[in-house]
Amino acid sequence: MTASRPEVIPLPHQWRFAVVIALVITLLCLFQGNLDSNEAGKLALARQAVDPTWIPGDWYLNNPQSYQWLFQQLAGRAVWALGFPAGSLVVRLLGYAVWSWGLAALARRLQLPLAGAALVALLFGLGQSAAAGEWMVGGAEPKTFAYGAVLLAYVAWSERRWWASGVWSGLACSFHILVGGYGVLALVALTAWA
């Protein structure tokens, strides 16, 4: 007797889930801690990466951070074009969109109802750090994008779409090496266990 694969919720429902999740997270997190110390540092590095003439003599800003190149290109252009407050909000919204799409894909895969997915988003938005002060979704930082990519990698892995899982894992590592690296290690462990 072979085990059948669970039926997956259709893709149009995933869009609906992603919109609801994004709205919940946006309402809870968008203006919380805007341009706090870590976010301000990441955005300043991103701005410097796309415009080296901006504060050219600063030692910290001119320290190469090539492991964050993808985030710096995205966030740096937003901050350069819009300024720090508006650029921060735009980068946050883009990060929320990626993370919401990842959580919606996971909810679709696990066959959670829309209310369940919204509750998960609400719980993540209210408080995410149990011990170390870490979070998945919050500021305009690389880890929000990385966690969204990790969620998408897990979903692709569970659907046996190996190539897509590899691409999402690579993107997660490109945005945040620790988040992506631990995500890849978890996928390796899942593969060995399965």
Side-chain angles (χ1 to χ4, degrees), residues 24-57:
V24 169
I25 289 299
T26 299
L27 290 173
L28 290 173
C29 300
L30 185 62
F31 296 106
Q32 182 181 21
N34 192 274
L35 288 174
D36 68 4
S37 60
N38 199 36
E39 181 178 89
K42 294 294 182 191
L43 292 177
L45 286 165
R47 167 73 192 267
Q48 182 68 19
V50 298
D51 181 13
T53 63
W54 183 70
I55 313 178

Side-chain angles (χ1 to χ4, degrees), residues 2-14:
T2 60
S4 63
R5 293 173 75 179
E7 186 177 320
V8 176
I9 296 169
L11 192 60
H13 293 293
Q14 183 173 332

Side-chain angles (χ1 to χ4, degrees), residues 29-99:
C29 300
L30 185 62
F31 296 106
Q32 182 181 21
N34 192 274
L35 288 174
D36 68 4
S37 60
N38 199 36
E39 181 178 89
K42 294 294 182 191
L43 292 177
L45 286 165
R47 167 73 192 267
Q48 182 68 19
V50 298
D51 181 13
T53 63
W54 183 70
I55 313 178
D58 187 273
W59 171 82
Y60 174 71
L61 294 179
N62 286 290
N63 234 345
Q65 307 227 347
S66 57
Y67 61 92
Q68 294 182 0
W69 182 86
L70 191 56
F71 176 78
Q72 289 178 342
Q73 294 304 306
L74 173 79
R77 293 180 196 293
V79 170
W80 178 80
L82 303 171
F84 279 94
S88 166
L89 295 177
V90 167
V91 174
R92 280 181 178 221
L93 288 171
L94 289 172
Y96 298 168
V98 171
W99 187 84

Side-chain angles (χ1 to χ4, degrees), residues 9 17 21 32 41 53 60-62 75 82 90 98 108 120 125 130-131 134 143 152 154 166-167 169 175 179 189 193:
I9 296 169
F17 279 44
I21 291 167
Q32 182 181 21
T53 63
Y60 174 71
L61 294 179
N62 286 290
L82 303 171
V90 167
V98 171
R108 177 182 61 86
V120 169
E134 279 296 310
K143 73 171 84 168
L152 290 164
Y154 286 172
V167 168
S169 295
F175 274 109
V179 170
W193 183 57

Side-chain angles (χ1 to χ4, degrees), residues 57 130 172 178:
L178 290 176

